[in-house]
Amino acid sequence: MKLIRGGLTAGVLVLTTVACSAGGGGASGDAAARIAPSPKPTVSAARIAIEPASGASDVKPSGALKVSVASGKLSKVTVTDQAGKAVAGAISADGASWVPSANLSVASQYKVTAQAIDADGVATQADSTFGTLTPEKDAGPYDNIDNDGKYGVAMIVSLNFRKPVKDRAAVEKGISFETSDNTVVKGHWFGDQRVDFRPEKFWKSGTKVTVHYRLKSVEVSPDVYGGVDSDQTFTIGRDQRTTVDARKDTMTVVRDGETVDTVPITAGKPGFDSWNGTMVISEKAERTRMSSQGVSGVSAAESYDLSDVPHAMRLTDSGTYVHGNSWAIGAMGSYNASHGCIGVADARYGSDGSNAGKYFNSALVGDPVTVVNSKGAEVAPDNGLSGWNTDWQNW
């Protein structure tokens, strides 16, 4: 009995030992096989493409720079110019591409660094350097604003180009207005070489306005660039508005809401009737030359060439002025005798104490002058700074 118990015990021990040896070894090997990671690729499947190619030159500043990836997603794109300034841009929602959010600058060097990962998380990087073109032609833009100038409440900013503009939208995108009272400003094109800017209503006195021109790197026409990056700041002065009644032959001046003067005038005679509508003083000169040359309908008998007309304030490109007049004093307040201008009593060479002199000294470029009750047509919105005669909806 003892032997049997001993034998059974020994047998159990043997079996147990064998079971532990065989079962334990098999389980450990299977688990190792199940949890061992696959070898990670050392080369990313993502393929980054950068346009333009590295080393490229004479690259256009708009539309040429693109970064894309195949078999992966972009994780970071950095573009800097030669000064280290970063170029803003955004990776697309699907991670497949990146483009800059604004034009690059002309005549500049750029470095691109793009990073991407593939489906396994393996990263890759690509780099490129290139240069943008130096424009051979620009459109020669110029405006009518003096930096830090003070203007009347009807001032219109008029930007002219010496070469035709084909891409108006690109020009408008390159111009912005910053106003101290958040006044909204819109542009209106007159042909392909002029765009005027104004608010819906006259400016408020004291408004500070800064025009930001960012056109140097804008291709306004094929191979023609905007040519200028600058800021122009001006301020709106007191609110002075003038109304000329061509039937009553009077001129009334209202300043900051109060009538400060009403004086007799003479306007355009029959056949030379003054324009109706709102015009804007665009230039002031103590004296200027006025000639009938180029004025249609003037006979030889009534031709004129006056070299020193005093206190001249231009209203239109076609030659309408408010100006001092010493040769038609008798007509003022009684009948219209001019060739379209608004004549105001003055001394021969101008006097600060005359009606014309007082008005001249009170006036600012940008002041509105509205003519009513003339038998003439309404002034065209592109004749001088007469855009106020176009309603806001059509501006």
Side-chain angles (χ1 to χ4, degrees), residues 264-279:
I265 57 91
T266 184
K269 61 186 177 182
F272 298 94
D273 301 280
S274 301
W275 299 112
N276 281 297
T278 297
M279 292 160 272

PDB file of all heavy atoms in Angstrom, residues 264-279:
ATOM      1  N   PRO A 264     -23.934 137.103 -53.988  1.00  0.00           N
ATOM      2  CA  PRO A 264     -24.367 137.065 -55.387  1.00  0.00           C
ATOM      3  C   PRO A 264     -23.273 136.471 -56.273  1.00  0.00           C
ATOM      4  O   PRO A 264     -22.083 136.646 -56.014  1.00  0.00           O
ATOM      5  CB  PRO A 264     -24.615 138.537 -55.716  1.00  0.00           C
ATOM      6  CG  PRO A 264     -23.715 139.284 -54.792  1.00  0.00           C
ATOM      7  CD  PRO A 264     -23.675 138.484 -53.524  1.00  0.00           C
ATOM      8  N   ILE A 265     -23.699 135.763 -57.304  1.00  0.00           N
ATOM      9  CA  ILE A 265     -22.748 135.156 -58.256  1.00  0.00           C
ATOM     10  C   ILE A 265     -23.311 135.294 -59.667  1.00  0.00           C
ATOM     11  O   ILE A 265     -24.461 135.688 -59.860  1.00  0.00           O
ATOM     12  CB  ILE A 265     -22.479 133.670 -57.937  1.00  0.00           C
ATOM     13  CG1 ILE A 265     -23.795 132.849 -57.925  1.00  0.00           C
ATOM     14  CG2 ILE A 265     -21.798 133.531 -56.584  1.00  0.00           C
ATOM     15  CD1 ILE A 265     -24.201 132.220 -59.218  1.00  0.00           C
ATOM     16  N   THR A 266     -22.511 134.911 -60.636  1.00  0.00           N
ATOM     17  CA  THR A 266     -23.018 134.735 -61.989  1.00  0.00           C
ATOM     18  C   THR A 266     -22.590 133.359 -62.471  1.00  0.00           C
ATOM     19  O   THR A 266     -21.451 132.934 -62.250  1.00  0.00           O
ATOM     20  CB  THR A 266     -22.512 135.842 -62.941  1.00  0.00           C
ATOM     21  OG1 THR A 266     -23.121 135.676 -64.223  1.00  0.00           O
ATOM     22  CG2 THR A 266     -20.999 135.814 -63.087  1.00  0.00           C
ATOM     23  N   ALA A 267     -23.521 132.635 -63.089  1.00  0.00           N
ATOM     24  CA  ALA A 267     -23.246 131.277 -63.557  1.00  0.00           C
ATOM     25  C   ALA A 267     -23.202 131.252 -65.081  1.00  0.00           C
ATOM     26  O   ALA A 267     -23.111 132.299 -65.728  1.00  0.00           O
ATOM     27  CB  ALA A 267     -24.308 130.327 -63.009  1.00  0.00           C
ATOM     28  N   GLY A 268     -23.282 130.055 -65.669  1.00  0.00           N
ATOM     29  CA  GLY A 268     -23.154 129.911 -67.116  1.00  0.00           C
ATOM     30  C   GLY A 268     -24.333 130.490 -67.876  1.00  0.00           C
ATOM     31  O   GLY A 268     -25.491 130.232 -67.549  1.00  0.00           O
ATOM     32  N   LYS A 269     -24.037 131.264 -68.903  1.00  0.00           N
ATOM     33  CA  LYS A 269     -25.078 131.887 -69.727  1.00  0.00           C
ATOM     34  C   LYS A 269     -25.665 130.870 -70.688  1.00  0.00           C
ATOM     35  O   LYS A 269     -25.117 129.768 -70.859  1.00  0.00           O
ATOM     36  CB  LYS A 269     -24.490 133.066 -70.484  1.00  0.00           C
ATOM     37  CG  LYS A 269     -23.365 132.711 -71.444  1.00  0.00           C
ATOM     38  CD  LYS A 269     -22.745 133.968 -72.036  1.00  0.00           C
ATOM     39  CE  LYS A 269     -21.574 133.632 -72.951  1.00  0.00           C
ATOM     40  NZ  LYS A 269     -20.941 134.872 -73.499  1.00  0.00           N
ATOM     41  N   PRO A 270     -26.800 131.215 -71.351  1.00  0.00           N
ATOM     42  CA  PRO A 270     -27.413 130.277 -72.294  1.00  0.00           C
ATOM     43  C   PRO A 270     -26.418 129.783 -73.345  1.00  0.00           C
ATOM     44  O   PRO A 270     -25.680 130.557 -73.937  1.00  0.00           O
ATOM     45  CB  PRO A 270     -28.528 131.116 -72.931  1.00  0.00           C
ATOM     46  CG  PRO A 270     -28.903 132.102 -71.871  1.00  0.00           C
ATOM     47  CD  PRO A 270     -27.600 132.448 -71.188  1.00  0.00           C
ATOM     48  N   GLY A 271     -26.433 128.503 -73.555  1.00  0.00           N
ATOM     49  CA  GLY A 271     -25.481 127.879 -74.472  1.00  0.00           C
ATOM     50  C   GLY A 271     -24.220 127.430 -73.775  1.00  0.00           C
ATOM     51  O   GLY A 271     -23.481 126.590 -74.291  1.00  0.00           O
ATOM     52  N   PHE A 272     -23.965 127.994 -72.598  1.00  0.00           N
ATOM     53  CA  PHE A 272     -22.807 127.608 -71.778  1.00  0.00           C
ATOM     54  C   PHE A 272     -23.262 127.358 -70.343  1.00  0.00           C
ATOM     55  O   PHE A 272     -22.543 127.644 -69.387  1.00  0.00           O
ATOM     56  CB  PHE A 272     -21.732 128.701 -71.815  1.00  0.00           C
ATOM     57  CG  PHE A 272     -21.184 128.963 -73.183  1.00  0.00           C
ATOM     58  CD1 PHE A 272     -21.728 129.972 -73.981  1.00  0.00           C
ATOM     59  CD2 PHE A 272     -20.159 128.196 -73.692  1.00  0.00           C
ATOM     60  CE1 PHE A 272     -21.231 130.213 -75.253  1.00  0.00           C
ATOM     61  CE2 PHE A 272     -19.655 128.433 -74.965  1.00  0.00           C
ATOM     62  CZ  PHE A 272     -20.197 129.442 -75.759  1.00  0.00           C
ATOM     63  N   ASP A 273     -24.462 126.833 -70.210  1.00  0.00           N
ATOM     64  CA  ASP A 273     -25.065 126.651 -68.894  1.00  0.00           C
ATOM     65  C   ASP A 273     -24.169 125.802 -67.983  1.00  0.00           C
ATOM     66  O   ASP A 273     -23.585 124.800 -68.417  1.00  0.00           O
ATOM     67  CB  ASP A 273     -26.425 125.975 -69.043  1.00  0.00           C
ATOM     68  CG  ASP A 273     -27.369 126.781 -69.917  1.00  0.00           C
ATOM     69  OD1 ASP A 273     -27.959 127.753 -69.424  1.00  0.00           O
ATOM     70  OD2 ASP A 273     -27.504 126.412 -71.119  1.00  0.00           O
ATOM     71  N   SER A 274     -24.100 126.203 -66.727  1.00  0.00           N
ATOM     72  CA  SER A 274     -23.300 125.449 -65.745  1.00  0.00           C
ATOM     73  C   SER A 274     -23.888 124.059 -65.547  1.00  0.00           C
ATOM     74  O   SER A 274     -25.088 123.833 -65.714  1.00  0.00           O
ATOM     75  CB  SER A 274     -23.286 126.188 -64.406  1.00  0.00           C
ATOM     76  OG  SER A 274     -22.741 127.476 -64.536  1.00  0.00           O
ATOM     77  N   TRP A 275     -23.031 123.121 -65.193  1.00  0.00           N
ATOM     78  CA  TRP A 275     -23.501 121.777 -64.864  1.00  0.00           C
ATOM     79  C   TRP A 275     -24.362 121.834 -63.610  1.00  0.00           C
ATOM     80  O   TRP A 275     -24.062 122.562 -62.666  1.00  0.00           O
ATOM     81  CB  TRP A 275     -22.336 120.834 -64.584  1.00  0.00           C
ATOM     82  CG  TRP A 275     -21.373 120.624 -65.711  1.00  0.00           C
ATOM     83  CD1 TRP A 275     -20.076 121.037 -65.754  1.00  0.00           C
ATOM     84  CD2 TRP A 275     -21.612 119.924 -66.936  1.00  0.00           C
ATOM     85  NE1 TRP A 275     -19.487 120.648 -66.921  1.00  0.00           N
ATOM     86  CE2 TRP A 275     -20.407 119.956 -67.679  1.00  0.00           C
ATOM     87  CE3 TRP A 275     -22.714 119.270 -67.481  1.00  0.00           C
ATOM     88  CZ2 TRP A 275     -20.285 119.358 -68.929  1.00  0.00           C
ATOM     89  CZ3 TRP A 275     -22.601 118.678 -68.724  1.00  0.00           C
ATOM     90  CH2 TRP A 275     -21.398 118.724 -69.430  1.00  0.00           C
ATOM     91  N   ASN A 276     -25.411 121.047 -63.575  1.00  0.00           N
ATOM     92  CA  ASN A 276     -26.141 120.784 -62.331  1.00  0.00           C
ATOM     93  C   ASN A 276     -25.468 119.618 -61.610  1.00  0.00           C
ATOM     94  O   ASN A 276     -24.745 118.824 -62.221  1.00  0.00           O
ATOM     95  CB  ASN A 276     -27.596 120.401 -62.626  1.00  0.00           C
ATOM     96  CG  ASN A 276     -28.469 121.598 -62.928  1.00  0.00           C
ATOM     97  OD1 ASN A 276     -28.661 122.473 -62.084  1.00  0.00           O
ATOM     98  ND2 ASN A 276     -29.009 121.654 -64.148  1.00  0.00           N
ATOM     99  N   GLY A 277     -25.729 119.514 -60.319  1.00  0.00           N
ATOM    100  CA  GLY A 277     -25.224 118.384 -59.563  1.00  0.00           C
ATOM    101  C   GLY A 277     -24.130 118.767 -58.590  1.00  0.00           C
ATOM    102  O   GLY A 277     -23.728 119.937 -58.490  1.00  0.00           O
ATOM    103  N   THR A 278     -23.663 117.764 -57.867  1.00  0.00           N
ATOM    104  CA  THR A 278     -22.628 117.975 -56.853  1.00  0.00           C
ATOM    105  C   THR A 278     -21.252 117.752 -57.450  1.00  0.00           C
ATOM    106  O   THR A 278     -20.959 116.682 -57.983  1.00  0.00           O
ATOM    107  CB  THR A 278     -22.843 117.035 -55.654  1.00  0.00           C
ATOM    108  OG1 THR A 278     -24.092 117.362 -55.033  1.00  0.00           O
ATOM    109  CG2 THR A 278     -21.721 117.188 -54.637  1.00  0.00           C
ATOM    110  N   MET A 279     -20.447 118.786 -57.365  1.00  0.00           N
ATOM    111  CA  MET A 279     -19.049 118.728 -57.768  1.00  0.00           C
ATOM    112  C   MET A 279     -18.174 118.915 -56.525  1.00  0.00           C
ATOM    113  O   MET A 279     -18.681 119.223 -55.450  1.00  0.00           O
ATOM    114  CB  MET A 279     -18.768 119.788 -58.833  1.00  0.00           C
ATOM    115  CG  MET A 279     -19.466 119.494 -60.156  1.00  0.00           C
ATOM    116  SD  MET A 279     -19.656 120.932 -61.257  1.00  0.00           S
ATOM    117  CE  MET A 279     -21.229 121.595 -60.676  1.00  0.00           C
TER     118      MET A 279
END
